[in-house]
Amino acid sequence: METNSKYVFENRLNILLSELLNELGVISYSEQLGKRSRRDIVIYYQGLRIVLEGSYSRSDAERDAKRRVEQLLADLAIAIQYPKIPNATDKELKEKLKSIKFYVKIVVPADVSDSLYELLRQRGVIAQSIGEWIEIDLNGLVSLIREAVQFIISETHVRDVEKKVEEFINDWIEILINHPQSYVIAQNLYDILHKLYGFSIGDPRKIREIIFAQAGLALLLSAVYYESIRYAHSLRPLAELIKATDAQSALRKAFSDILRINYQPIFNTALSILNNLPPLRRRFERLIALAIEIASKRSLLRRDIAGKIYHKIVGDWSVRKGLATFYTQIPAAYLLLHLVKPTLSRICDFACGSGTLLTAAYNAARVQYSLSLLEKGIDKDPREIDEEFHRAFIKSCYGIDVLKYATQITAINLALHSPETPIDEFNIYTLPLGLRKKNGTVSLGSLEFARTSLRIDQILLGEKATKIGLSEEEE
């Protein structure tokens, strides 16, 4: 809400506050978000997008800040209520902003709100708050932004989810190991997750634990993704489906319903796994409850939660069975990609695993994309920008691995960045590794690109890879 001419316009205060934050080391831009007259402050800090909504009206600032978080346009929003400041020169106004106090309110997803405020109180960043509105000065605002960001990107709330998933997977493995048909189940799941052109990672009977861990995690993450996108297609929630039948049948119906729309990258494999498991009523009830809980923590969905769980849970079991792989740790991946500053172009990971590097590339490229729009003065609705970027990145992104299971996790990881945006096809391939029984040749997976200039279809020699996004079965 703008005031009469004796007070400085809110737009001007936002622009000047943005300049002051930059001087204090918090990189920010004054940006018009959507088709509105007031310019707000957008901060890009440690891979997060933060919006500061400044206004003379507390209700206006809070309403707009909540809208930014609810629309998934910001990882964090801060509502700012300015005191009424008389008109003056820019220099005088900046000095005024340095000395005055104003009220702010942090707006984050509800699942982390209480924990964040408690942390800020413990660290002395804030004292008592009035309805969560805090009186603070400019330096206090900088400290608040930095501490809030550290909280959001910290591992604290991720570890809580990891622990719950780990307990679920351990229980899941135990029940399947002791099942009378354990060996048959392991063989069937092995054929779904690993068997490809003669490539073998071991005797399914001897690596049952890792097979069961991967199957359980694939179903859990697929259920999380269903819960994240079902509202966009008016599909029934899992909590409602389970009331009409058992949990296993509820998942089967959910996956079948979403496959009628598309989403083969995620749900074809999940449905095949589901159809090869025995009745496990209580375990599937627990799986659905955990999936609903994770999907409700929207702050986690864009922070590589699938990759973190994959590394923690499946990685542990791989080490125990001598199947450990070398993968890029998540902090290193984000550091590397933000140093590179990638733009929308063809990006490929030839051993994508769970998609950690591609996910880091997504976040880094998203920042560069937003900055380029700001520099060009392009004004679009933020949701339109997010959807355009998501579609463009998925179209130009390539992932290759020798494990079908790994490419499925990569697809989930990328899809969770904008679950409401349907994607027809991912350029993610499972390439053959090992002896091809048909012609006696040996495939080296992605290493085939190092010894030949042939295209993917030529490397496959007529035997198509499992391309994520297509529904055909591999030969």
Side-chain angles (χ1 to χ4, degrees):
M1 133 178 141
E2 302 285 5
T3 63
N4 60 46
S5 59
K6 74 175 184 176
Y7 295 114
V8 62
F9 285 161
E10 296 161 323
N11 268 355
R12 197 169 160 206
L13 286 177
N14 287 342
I15 292 169
L16 294 174
L17 181 58
S18 175
E19 292 175 2
L20 288 171
L21 289 172
N22 276 297
E23 292 172 12
L24 293 171
V26 178
I27 306 303
S28 62
Y29 301 83
S30 176
E31 176 182 3
Q32 185 169 325
L33 298 175
K35 299 175 182 179
R36 305 185 312 155
S37 59
R38 190 172 73 236
R39 298 179 69 84
D40 301 301
I41 302 169
V42 180
I43 297 170
Y44 296 97
Y45 193 72
Q46 295 197 24
L48 296 186
R49 190 176 194 223
I50 307 162
V51 174
L52 273 61
E53 294 280 353
S55 174
Y56 286 129
S57 166
R58 182 178 292 189
S59 60
D60 283 358
E62 183 175 359
R63 182 194 63 235
D64 291 341
K66 285 181 177 178
R67 184 183 303 146
R68 296 302 166 212
V69 172
E70 290 168 356
Q71 292 175 335
L72 293 179
L73 303 178
D75 298 285
L76 168 72
I78 300 178
I80 301 177
Q81 182 195 21
Y82 294 118
K84 291 183 178 179
I85 302 174
N87 252 321
T89 66
D90 284 357
K91 182 177 180 181
E92 290 170 336
L93 288 172
K94 287 176 82 170
E95 290 301 315
K96 186 73 172 175
L97 286 171
K98 289 179 183 178
S99 61
I100 63 170
K101 290 190 174 183
F102 35 82
Y103 282 98
V104 303
K105 184 173 184 177
I106 308 169
V107 178
V108 290
D111 55 283
V112 298
S113 179
D114 291 342
S115 300
L116 174 57
Y117 273 97
E118 183 59 33
L119 176 73
L120 294 174
R121 291 188 187 95
Q122 289 175 358
R123 298 197 176 183
V125 178
I126 63 173
Q128 290 298 110
S129 59
I130 304 172
E132 295 182 347
W133 281 91
I134 308 155
E135 189 177 31
I136 206 166
D137 61 12
L138 179 62
N139 288 325
L141 177 61
V142 171
S143 296
L144 184 146
I145 291 170
R146 288 175 173 160
E147 291 291 347
V149 166
Q150 286 303 312
F151 172 83
I152 289 176
I153 67 175
S154 74
E155 300 297 312
T156 304
H157 52 313
V158 176
R159 286 196 197 102
D160 180 54
V161 171
E162 286 179 355
K163 183 178 179 181
K164 291 180 179 180
V165 173
E166 185 174 19
E167 291 172 352
F168 166 76
I169 293 295
N170 285 334
D171 181 56
W172 173 272
I173 291 169
E174 183 180 0
I175 193 68
L176 287 174
I177 283 290
N178 294 312
H179 193 277
Q181 298 296 314
S182 181
Y183 289 129
V184 175
I185 297 167
Q187 180 66 63
N188 291 339
L189 294 176
Y190 176 88
D191 290 345
I192 295 168
L193 296 171
H194 297 295
K195 195 173 182 180
L196 186 65
Y197 306 121
F199 167 52
S200 172
I201 65 167
D203 185 341
R205 294 173 298 177
K206 296 179 180 179
I207 57 170
R208 286 179 297 160
E209 293 95 337
I210 185 66
I211 293 171
F212 295 151
Q214 290 176 338
L217 188 56
L219 288 178
L220 175 64
L221 292 176
S222 296
V224 169
Y225 188 49
Y226 174 87
E227 274 295 297
S228 302
I229 61 173
R230 48 95 180 160
Y231 65 89
H233 303 290
S234 301
L235 295 176
R236 295 164 68 190
L238 289 172
E240 182 178 322
L241 289 173
I242 201 173
K243 291 179 181 178
T245 183
D246 62 277
Q248 214 156 334
S249 298
L251 272 183
R252 188 175 291 108
K253 173 158 179 60
F255 294 171
S256 299
D257 287 347
I258 200 72
L259 276 170
R260 292 191 188 99
I261 297 169
N262 205 317
Y263 296 99
Q264 282 87 354
I266 313 300
F267 296 104
N268 265 344
T269 301
L271 192 57
S272 296
I273 292 171
L274 190 60
N275 289 333
N276 281 278
L277 287 169
L280 300 168
R281 183 177 61 84
R282 291 183 180 177
R283 270 69 187 181
F284 276 100
E285 288 174 355
R286 188 174 169 190
L287 184 151
I288 287 177
L290 186 54
I292 293 171
E293 179 183 350
I294 295 172
S296 71
K297 297 180 182 296
R298 305 179 79 181
S299 58
L300 297 177
L301 297 184
R302 299 173 69 177
R303 303 303 304 170
D304 198 10
I305 185 63
K308 286 181 170 71
I309 294 173
Y310 175 91
H311 289 174
K312 170 63 178 173
I313 308 303
V314 176
D316 282 356
W317 280 103
S318 297
V319 170
R320 295 180 209 178
K321 303 305 293 184
L323 299 169
T325 54
F326 296 96
Y327 54 80
T328 307
Q329 295 290 334
I330 290 170
Y334 278 78
L335 173 62
L336 287 171
L337 269 298
H338 279 279
L339 289 174
V340 171
K341 297 181 179 179
T343 56
L344 271 176
S345 57
R346 187 170 294 184
I347 296 173
C348 181
D349 186 347
F350 291 96
C352 63
S354 65
T356 294
L357 275 174
L358 292 177
T359 302
Y362 186 108
N363 284 276
R366 180 65 179 85
V367 171
Q368 297 304 313
Y369 186 71
S370 295
L371 293 178
S372 69
L373 293 180
L374 287 174
E375 291 170 356
K376 295 173 185 175
I378 296 175
D379 180 21
K380 289 184 178 181
D381 182 89
R383 290 188 68 85
E384 182 183 354
I385 293 172
D386 278 356
E387 183 173 327
E388 285 181 358
F389 173 81
H390 187 72
R391 290 185 183 278
F393 184 89
I394 297 300
K395 184 178 180 180
S396 62
C397 163
Y398 290 77
I400 299 169
D401 204 277
V402 297
L403 294 180
K404 185 177 179 181
Y405 170 74
T407 55
Q408 188 216 18
I409 300 298
T410 293
I412 293 176
N413 235 339
L414 292 173
L416 282 175
H417 280 72
S418 184
E420 66 276 9
T421 304
I423 298 296
D424 294 331
E425 188 171 308
F426 289 74
N427 295 313
I428 300 174
Y429 297 84
T430 308
L431 287 186
L433 176 68
L435 177 67
R436 298 184 184 192
K437 295 179 181 178
K438 287 185 180 180
N439 55 19
T441 60
V442 175
S443 298
L444 301 178
S446 297
L447 290 178
E448 290 292 328
F449 292 105
R451 69 178 186 179
T452 179
S453 59
L454 297 177
R455 302 190 308 270
I456 285 181
D457 58 341
Q458 294 170 317
I459 288 174
L460 294 172
L461 299 176
E463 298 180 54
K464 58 179 176 293
T466 303
K467 182 175 182 183
I468 300 298
L470 299 182
S471 58
E472 292 88 354
E473 296 294 330
E474 75 254 23
E475 294 180 352

